[in-house]
Amino acid sequence: AADNGEYAIWLGDDSLILAQRLAWWISRAPEMEEDIALGNIGLDLLGHARSFMTYGGKSIGKTEDDLAYWREEDEFRSVHLVEVPGQDFGLTIARQLFFSVYLELLYTRLLNSTDATIAAISAKALKEVEYHVDHATQWMLRLGGGTEESVRRIQHSLEVMWPYAHELFVDEPLHERLAATGVAVLPSSLKEDWDQRVTAVIEESGLGMPVAKDALCRGRVGEHTEHLGYLLAEMQVLARKFPGATW
Amino acid sequence: AADNGEYAIWLGDDSLILAQRLAWWISRAPEMEEDIALGNIGLDLLGHARSFMTYGGKSIGKTEDDLAYWREEDEFRSVHLVEVPGQDFGLTIARQLFFSVYLELLYTRLLNSTDATIAAISAKALKEVEYHVDHATQWMLRLGGGTEESVRRIQHSLEVMWPYAHELFVDEPLHERLAATGVAVLPSSLKEDWDQRVTAVIEESGLGMPVAKDALCRGRVGEHTEHLGYLLAEMQVLARKFPGATW
Amino acid sequence: DEGRAAFDALIAADGRIEPRDWMPEDYRKTLIRQVSQHAHSEIIGMQPEANWITRAPSLKRKAILMAKVQDEAGHGLYLYSAAETLGATRDEMVEALIEGKAKYSSIFNYPTRSWADVGAIGWLVDGAAIANQVPLCRASYAPYGRAMVRICKEESFHQRQGFEILLTLANGTPEQKAMAQDAVNRFYAPALMMFGPPDDASPNSKQSMAWHIKRFSNDDLRQRFVGMIVEQVKVLGLTLPDPELRYDEETKQWIHKELDWVEFMDVIKGKGPCNAQRLERRRVAHEDGAWVREAAAEYARKQQLKLAEASGKAA
Amino acid sequence: DEGRAAFDALIAADGRIEPRDWMPEDYRKTLIRQVSQHAHSEIIGMQPEANWITRAPSLKRKAILMAKVQDEAGHGLYLYSAAETLGATRDEMVEALIEGKAKYSSIFNYPTRSWADVGAIGWLVDGAAIANQVPLCRASYAPYGRAMVRICKEESFHQRQGFEILLTLANGTPEQKAMAQDAVNRFYAPALMMFGPPDDASPNSKQSMAWHIKRFSNDDLRQRFVGMIVEQVKVLGLTLPDPELRYDEETKQWIHKELDWVEFMDVIKGKGPCNAQRLERRRVAHEDGAWVREAAAEYARKQQLKLAEASGKAA
């Protein structure tokens, strides 16, 4: 059960950090409709993170806020992909494509998790993530089928985000233990479907598959990008000024 | 003497915050020479801030680091001009012009301060600030006399920074008390010279005087821009994790 | 003529004007100005609150705040749509905003200095907005009224959330309570000024009331609002920064302190602490997003072409 | 021919080649590659340390770090200049860097995860750089040697500062000491790999040594460095993450743990944790700064024209 909780926290960390990144867009998006759309996606992810963290924290006597605000950088388990700033619409769409397709495949498989809570949270999240995939796909088509500049920019964005995508599919010992009991999914087992789905979208958008090399990423063992420290400093600053306070 | 110390802290705050802003440019400037130049200016300002804060802190039993790392946002006394991010070369140059000319006029007058320490720090700082003025002036000429795009951008930058410039010349009660004893300079008394100097540079650069309206700024009473909180969260995060530690 | 007669009759009968109906040019212009200003206020109004999303002190508050700021974008969109039914285009309106030619509620030119400001904005600013907007649900121009109905429902939800933030702070640590009181101190007067200048200094109000756009005078609305918050502040256990505040039994009026209309006019004219910042943020977002909008437009054009070709072939 | 004979004679006499001297094309190419890679390393090497400037835990450390990172920019500039004396242009070299065609020291593709990393970089990375560079002060190509003299002086200053950071941490709170040890643990092996592959896997070294560019083999330099840090780490009160480390009295060699040359080659090939990030940061800075460089060039052109006109009139 401690393993199950730990796994839930891993799932929560990815979504929490990406939600924080997407929140940046609210009041800064290229169209007001996108302020809403990106905000909604962020809000969905924040919701998933809260569910996973509430569940994951239970076994160790911690609340979602304990986990979000009072862990140090090396205690987070997020992948590098969600930590990169991405303060450019192309970068954000490229990341959303990579991450949302992964999440859809993951949650679809987690519907059958032998951990009923993880299965239930995944089921609820899955409906929302399907919309996220659609949103990213639609934008890929538009940017890939848009102007010369948009083609150049989204192609470059795919390259910039690509080095971090492979980390989503790295099997850690925790995954292996939990896959054996049917609680978790082996990330590596999602890779083939993911490749196919992502390739299809990139091709349909008239773009080329990225050629950038995979970066050495070890977010799952607490070794993060240089970006995460800044994100946490900002996210945690207020909560940490008032230890024990209620909000 | 408490007043003198407080005044020194005010002087330090402006320079510290601007040094923090300029530090951002190191490894991000348009030319490597500018990584060095902007870094140097930041380093000079940081040096001035340290001298002023060390002196200002003495009367209240605080070190420069106590003041920099352990004050809350509303205890800082910086002007809004130095708080604005300015992560664009045009914005940075416009601000440097406004601020450096002000500092040069201020420190020139403070050479005659009846507070010997303030006079001495100003004397040392003045030589460096003269270079800062020259640096900003040279770039104003180049950007104003450069391409169509650079003209558009630097003109816009002047407009964006202009609303905050007037706060440099607001007399607060502290200034009035200290001007009476010859310790401080009434900021308002620098305005005419500043207008003339800045106007001359803008005109020589072939640009127009900004028409943007003055913003209501009350940094000197601790009411800051929305930007300062983010800057402090980042600047103070590490020091605050280790209360009492030595570095 | 016929159109005007029908219009006058409809107004007299407290009826609703629809976009296809004839309407006087002044009525149209007044509405475009008012509705677009209202839309701009929603869009610019996102910024002071968005300022605390990434730093919200609990995940629950972060989620509520994200949803709220998003709602404001939604309100902006309804209102731009309502203005479009009057013949204005969104591009024009957005352009006017970015160029500093259009107005928006001056309250959003004040910074949010602390988390408690998010509560104060919800309680006082949304509260004042609701007091202003509830009567607008019956505005004679139907699309505006309909947008208002939808918006008011969400706003009252936001107001409750803001109140709850302050209530939690007021019952928290002494620092939290001080933070809440400080926010109320700073937003009280600007919120009262949201209803506009006193009636004797508000020349346009009369015509708007005759047209049944406005239903109550600025001072009347301000009175209602003061009456409301006077009660609510007691529940919060905080005080309003107005020692002169009292109810005059004779005139049945709330007497409040003199408001600083000079500052109000200054802020409207662009001299607020954040006017420049708010517009620059909007401008940068618009400029940085240009390539995305152009791509979307170009993609749509190509899709149209393909469809046309396909139907040409099919024919 | 005559040029080659003079060159060979100079090399044989351990003399110095100046830019105007004849030199073999391979020598020139080898030097351009080496000097420009070295320049790129200085420029990219600014990033991991710049990462801690805004968060430095004391103002004194902030000032020292700013000055250090600036020095690196300065080193980059000397070195680009040295490479330019060989006929390369800075634009070309910078372009090659941004396009990912040029190499730089792979150590800078590791992130700085904590403040202690700034210390570890100073002590270990600058330490290794010095061990590498001191012999380069006598490189046969004179401008390179001169640049190295200047750089080495500053680097040894930097190394002392890094050592001092670690020393302070190691004598600080238990958390600070742990932070220092963790940084040393992470930078030890990459620092050892900075000297390049073992001699038997380093085919280019021989020619470089024959040309008196390189003076010692990779393994020799690594030995010296290990010998040095083994002593220094005792002063720090920290340990090196290498339980196998020992001095073999027979061979007079330090035996250290097997280094992960697969990871080393991966990182060189672009697969390090930060390769993509480092290049993207440089690319964005370059692209965002294009308008500034163009303006400066255009201004200079106009000034030239004015001067020419003025002198024309005067004539």
Side-chain angles (χ1 to χ4, degrees):
Chain A
D3 265 2
N4 294 24
E6 177 72 10
Y7 182 58
I9 293 172
W10 290 21
L11 296 173
D13 277 346
D14 282 353
S15 292
L16 174 63
I17 303 301
L18 186 51
Q20 186 78 357
R21 287 298 182 209
L22 288 168
W24 181 87
W25 282 103
I26 301 177
S27 75
R28 288 185 177 92
E31 303 181 339
M32 291 163 200
E33 284 81 357
E34 281 304 305
D35 281 301
I36 298 177
L38 292 173
N40 252 327
I41 295 172
L43 202 45
D44 289 343
L45 291 170
L46 178 58
H48 311 162
R50 293 180 63 197
S51 299
F52 281 125
M53 286 184 163
T54 299
Y55 175 57
K58 232 174 235 168
S59 59
I60 47 172
K62 297 206 183 274
T63 66
E64 57 176 21
D65 287 337
D66 292 337
L67 293 170
Y69 293 98
W70 295 95
R71 277 184 300 164
E72 295 304 312
E73 183 177 331
D74 61 3
E75 297 173 277
F76 278 80
R77 288 295 174 267
S78 43
V79 291
H80 290 198
L81 180 67
V82 297
E83 298 172 6
V84 176
Q87 293 178 354
D88 164 279
F89 192 72
L91 292 176
T92 278
I93 292 302
R95 166 161 61 197
Q96 285 305 122
L97 175 70
F98 297 163
F99 191 73
S100 305
V101 170
Y102 156 78
L103 269 195
E104 187 180 343
L105 294 170
L106 175 65
Y107 290 157
T108 302
R109 294 271 301 279
L110 287 178
L111 294 177
N112 303 316
S113 170
T114 53
D115 182 313
T117 309
I118 290 177
I121 299 171
S122 299
K124 190 175 166 298
L126 183 56
K127 286 180 210 123
E128 297 173 345
V129 169
E130 282 164 2
Y131 163 73
H132 305 179
V133 171
D134 188 53
H135 175 266
T137 305
Q138 292 307 318
W139 273 112
M140 284 296 298
L141 293 174
R142 275 181 251 176
L143 299 178
T147 63
E148 216 170 290
E149 187 186 2
S150 72
V151 169
R152 182 180 62 73
R153 292 180 71 140
I154 187 65
Q155 184 70 57
H156 179 72
S157 299
L158 290 170
E159 297 290 346
V160 172
M161 286 294 172
W162 186 257
Y164 310 107
H166 76 102
E167 190 189 9
L168 296 167
F169 308 103
V170 173
D171 298 337
E172 297 289 341
L174 177 72
H175 294 124
E176 284 161 6
R177 288 199 302 277
L178 289 178
T181 57
V183 170
V185 171
L186 271 189
S188 61
S189 70
L190 305 171
K191 184 70 163 65
E192 201 180 316
D193 282 351
W194 185 86
D195 277 337
Q196 205 182 321
R197 294 271 306 271
V198 165
T199 305
V201 174
I202 291 176
E203 284 179 359
E204 199 189 336
S205 308
L207 298 165
M209 283 302 288
V211 296
K213 301 211 175 68
D214 294 346
L216 193 66
C217 303
R218 294 179 181 139
R220 298 291 188 219
V221 298
E223 294 183 7
H224 294 284
T225 58
E226 289 176 354
H227 311 294
L228 187 62
Y230 294 92
L231 181 147
L232 295 180
E234 183 175 317
M235 185 172 89
Q236 298 176 334
V237 63
L238 177 57
R240 289 190 172 208
K241 276 193 185 157
F242 297 86
T246 303
W247 300 97
Chain B
D3 265 0
N4 294 24
E6 176 73 10
Y7 181 58
I9 293 172
W10 290 21
L11 296 174
D13 278 345
D14 282 352
S15 292
L16 174 64
I17 302 301
L18 186 52
Q20 185 78 356
R21 288 297 182 209
L22 288 168
W24 181 87
W25 281 103
I26 301 177
S27 76
R28 290 186 177 92
E31 302 181 340
M32 290 163 201
E33 285 80 356
E34 281 304 306
D35 281 301
I36 298 176
L38 292 173
N40 253 328
I41 295 172
L43 203 46
D44 289 343
L45 291 171
L46 178 57
H48 311 162
R50 292 180 62 197
S51 300
F52 280 125
M53 284 183 166
T54 299
Y55 176 57
K58 232 174 237 169
S59 58
I60 48 172
K62 298 205 183 275
T63 66
E64 56 176 22
D65 287 336
D66 292 337
L67 293 170
Y69 294 99
W70 295 96
R71 277 184 300 164
E72 297 303 312
E73 184 177 330
D74 62 3
E75 296 173 277
F76 278 79
R77 289 294 174 270
S78 44
V79 291
H80 290 199
L81 180 67
V82 297
E83 299 172 5
V84 176
Q87 293 179 353
D88 166 278
F89 192 72
L91 292 176
T92 278
I93 293 302
R95 168 163 59 199
Q96 285 305 121
L97 175 69
F98 297 163
F99 191 72
S100 305
V101 170
Y102 155 78
L103 270 195
E104 188 181 344
L105 294 170
L106 175 64
Y107 290 156
T108 302
R109 293 272 301 278
L110 286 178
L111 294 178
N112 302 317
S113 171
T114 54
D115 181 312
T117 308
I118 290 176
I121 300 171
S122 300
K124 191 177 167 298
L126 182 57
K127 286 179 209 125
E128 298 173 343
V129 169
E130 282 165 3
Y131 163 74
H132 305 179
V133 171
D134 187 53
H135 175 266
T137 305
Q138 292 306 319
W139 273 112
M140 284 296 298
L141 293 175
R142 277 182 249 176
L143 298 177
T147 63
E148 215 170 292
E149 188 186 3
S150 73
V151 170
R152 184 181 59 74
R153 291 180 71 142
I154 189 63
Q155 184 70 58
H156 179 71
S157 299
L158 290 169
E159 295 291 344
V160 172
M161 287 293 172
W162 186 257
Y164 310 108
H166 75 102
E167 189 190 9
L168 295 167
F169 308 103
V170 173
D171 297 338
E172 297 289 340
L174 177 71
H175 294 125
E176 283 161 6
R177 287 199 302 277
L178 289 177
T181 58
V183 171
V185 170
L186 270 190
S188 60
S189 70
L190 306 170
K191 183 70 163 62
E192 200 179 318
D193 282 351
W194 185 87
D195 277 337
Q196 205 183 321
R197 296 272 306 271
V198 165
T199 304
V201 175
I202 291 176
E203 282 178 1
E204 198 188 337
S205 307
L207 298 165
M209 283 303 287
V211 297
K213 301 208 175 69
D214 293 346
L216 194 66
C217 301
R218 293 178 182 138
R220 298 290 187 219
V221 297
E223 294 183 8
H224 295 285
T225 59
E226 288 176 355
H227 311 293
L228 186 63
Y230 293 92
L231 181 147
L232 295 179
E234 184 174 316
M235 184 172 90
Q236 299 177 333
V237 63
L238 177 57
R240 288 191 173 207
K241 275 191 186 158
F242 298 85
T246 303
W247 302 96
Chain C
D1 62 349
E2 207 177 318
R4 174 170 300 273
F7 175 84
D8 289 346
L10 252 175
I11 294 290
D14 203 6
R16 297 288 169 276
I17 312 295
E18 291 290 344
R20 64 182 176 283
D21 295 337
W22 184 92
M23 61 189 91
E25 217 28 52
D26 278 0
Y27 177 85
R28 183 187 301 275
K29 275 192 192 149
T30 298
L31 271 166
I32 289 179
R33 198 184 60 232
Q34 176 166 341
V35 178
S36 66
Q37 282 181 12
H38 194 157
H40 299 329
S41 298
E42 296 284 355
I43 296 303
I44 295 293
M46 296 169 72
Q47 291 183 35
E49 291 177 284
N51 184 38
W52 286 93
I53 290 177
T54 58
R55 297 179 291 178
S58 78
L59 296 186
K60 182 181 146 197
R61 291 290 172 204
K62 189 192 290 282
I64 291 172
L65 183 56
M66 279 174 80
K68 183 189 170 182
V69 181
Q70 263 193 310
D71 281 349
E72 286 161 6
H75 298 175
L77 290 179
Y78 307 157
L79 288 162
Y80 284 124
S81 297
E84 286 187 312
T85 65
L86 291 155
T89 73
R90 188 163 127 192
D91 282 353
E92 267 165 36
M93 293 184 275
V94 166
E95 203 63 35
L97 173 63
I98 287 173
E99 288 174 4
K101 291 177 189 158
K103 283 183 187 141
Y104 55 85
S105 183
S106 67
I107 191 103
F108 301 120
N109 291 318
Y110 289 89
T112 48
R113 293 217 165 88
S114 80
W115 167 252
D117 290 14
V118 172
I121 287 182
W123 177 46
L124 293 173
V125 177
D126 292 346
I130 293 166
N132 247 327
Q133 290 166 17
V134 165
L136 289 172
C137 295
R138 296 187 291 122
S140 59
Y141 188 62
Y144 189 32
R146 286 193 289 265
M148 278 297 128
V149 170
R150 207 166 152 185
I151 289 172
C152 280
K153 213 181 283 177
E154 293 182 355
E155 295 276 23
S156 67
F157 193 60
H158 296 164
Q159 200 211 3
R160 275 207 302 280
Q161 291 168 341
F163 185 80
E164 203 193 291
I165 288 176
L166 290 179
L167 190 62
T168 308
L169 292 174
N171 290 313
T173 66
E175 292 101 320
Q176 285 180 304
K177 184 167 184 177
M179 189 195 276
Q181 183 64 58
D182 173 60
V184 170
N185 291 351
R186 282 182 289 108
F187 279 93
Y188 169 75
L192 257 59
M193 291 196 274
M194 284 177 69
F195 298 94
D199 292 346
D200 48 20
S202 179
N204 297 326
S205 290
K206 207 177 255 177
Q207 175 65 74
S208 277
M209 288 177 75
W211 275 332
H212 292 178
I213 299 173
K214 217 172 151 70
R215 297 280 176 170
F216 300 97
S217 78
N218 295 352
D219 284 332
D220 281 351
L221 291 166
R222 190 162 19 240
Q223 282 290 318
R224 281 180 189 212
F225 176 66
V226 171
M228 194 175 78
I229 61 173
V230 159
E231 290 311 309
Q232 293 174 345
V233 81
K234 290 180 198 158
V235 181
L236 290 175
L238 299 173
T239 57
L240 296 175
D242 189 348
E244 297 165 40
L245 191 65
R246 66 182 177 86
Y247 190 70
D248 184 338
E249 288 291 349
E250 252 173 66
T251 58
K252 306 281 175 201
Q253 292 281 307
W254 285 97
I255 311 294
H256 55 74
K257 70 176 174 186
E258 193 83 40
L259 297 170
D260 185 348
W261 293 106
V262 174
E263 179 175 311
F264 178 79
M265 289 312 297
D266 273 355
V267 176
I268 284 195
K269 282 183 205 144
K271 298 184 179 182
C274 301
N275 296 59
Q277 177 190 333
R278 300 286 183 240
L279 283 189
E280 179 65 2
R281 161 90 81 91
R282 193 92 289 277
R283 194 193 65 76
V284 169
H286 194 73
E287 197 168 274
D288 286 354
W291 70 277
V292 177
R293 295 190 303 276
E294 282 157 20
E298 178 61 14
Y299 178 76
R301 201 186 59 80
K302 286 180 190 162
Q303 291 300 102
Q304 281 294 335
L305 264 176
K306 270 189 205 162
L307 268 176
E309 265 174 44
S311 68
K313 272 178 201 155
Chain D
D1 63 349
E2 206 179 319
R4 175 170 301 272
F7 175 84
D8 289 344
L10 252 177
I11 294 290
D14 203 6
R16 298 288 170 275
I17 312 295
E18 290 290 345
R20 63 183 177 283
D21 295 337
W22 184 92
M23 61 190 89
E25 217 27 53
D26 278 0
Y27 177 85
R28 183 188 301 276
K29 273 192 193 149
T30 298
L31 271 165
I32 288 180
R33 199 184 58 233
Q34 177 167 339
V35 179
S36 67
Q37 282 180 15
H38 195 157
H40 298 330
S41 298
E42 296 284 356
I43 296 302
I44 295 293
M46 296 169 72
Q47 292 183 35
E49 291 177 282
N51 185 36
W52 287 94
I53 292 176
T54 58
R55 296 178 293 177
S58 78
L59 295 186
K60 182 182 147 198
R61 291 291 173 204
K62 189 191 289 282
I64 291 173
L65 183 56
M66 279 173 81
K68 184 190 170 181
V69 181
Q70 262 193 313
D71 281 349
E72 286 161 6
H75 298 174
L77 289 179
Y78 307 155
L79 288 161
Y80 283 124
S81 297
E84 286 187 313
T85 65
L86 291 154
T89 72
R90 187 163 129 193
D91 281 355
E92 268 165 36
M93 295 184 273
V94 167
E95 202 63 35
L97 173 63
I98 287 172
E99 287 173 4
K101 290 177 190 159
K103 283 182 187 144
Y104 56 84
S105 183
S106 67
I107 191 102
F108 301 120
N109 291 316
Y110 290 89
T112 46
R113 292 220 166 85
S114 80
W115 168 252
D117 291 14
V118 172
I121 287 182
W123 179 47
L124 293 173
V125 177
D126 292 346
I130 293 166
N132 247 325
Q133 291 167 16
V134 165
L136 289 172
C137 294
R138 297 186 292 123
S140 59
Y141 188 61
Y144 189 31
R146 286 193 289 265
M148 277 299 128
V149 171
R150 204 164 155 187
I151 290 173
C152 280
K153 211 179 286 173
E154 293 182 355
E155 294 277 22
S156 67
F157 193 59
H158 295 165
Q159 200 210 3
R160 274 207 302 281
Q161 291 168 343
F163 185 81
E164 202 194 293
I165 288 176
L166 290 179
L167 190 63
T168 309
L169 292 174
N171 290 313
T173 66
E175 292 100 319
Q176 284 180 303
K177 184 167 185 177
M179 189 195 274
Q181 183 63 60
D182 173 60
V184 170
N185 291 351
R186 283 182 288 107
F187 279 93
Y188 170 75
L192 257 58
M193 292 195 274
M194 282 176 69
F195 298 94
D199 292 347
D200 49 20
S202 181
N204 297 325
S205 290
K206 208 178 258 177
Q207 176 64 76
S208 277
M209 288 176 73
W211 276 332
H212 292 178
I213 299 173
K214 220 173 149 73
R215 298 279 176 170
F216 300 97
S217 79
N218 295 353
D219 285 332
D220 282 351
L221 291 167
R222 189 161 21 238
Q223 282 291 317
R224 283 181 188 212
F225 176 66
V226 171
M228 193 177 78
I229 61 172
V230 159
E231 291 310 310
Q232 293 175 345
V233 80
K234 290 179 198 159
V235 182
L236 290 175
L238 299 174
T239 58
L240 296 174
D242 188 349
E244 297 164 41
L245 191 64
R246 66 183 176 85
Y247 190 70
D248 184 338
E249 288 292 348
E250 256 173 68
T251 57
K252 307 282 176 203
Q253 292 283 305
W254 286 97
I255 312 292
H256 55 74
K257 70 176 175 187
E258 193 82 42
L259 297 170
D260 186 348
W261 293 107
V262 175
E263 180 175 310
F264 178 78
M265 290 310 298
D266 273 357
V267 175
I268 284 195
K269 282 185 204 141
K271 297 184 179 181
C274 300
N275 296 60
Q277 177 190 331
R278 301 285 183 242
L279 284 190
E280 178 67 3
R281 162 90 80 92
R282 194 92 290 277
R283 195 192 65 76
V284 169
H286 193 73
E287 196 167 275
D288 286 355
W291 71 275
V292 177
R293 294 190 304 277
E294 284 157 19
E298 178 62 13
Y299 178 75
R301 201 185 60 81
K302 287 180 191 164
Q303 292 300 103
Q304 281 294 336
L305 265 176
K306 269 189 207 163
L307 270 176
E309 264 175 46
S311 68
K313 270 179 202 156

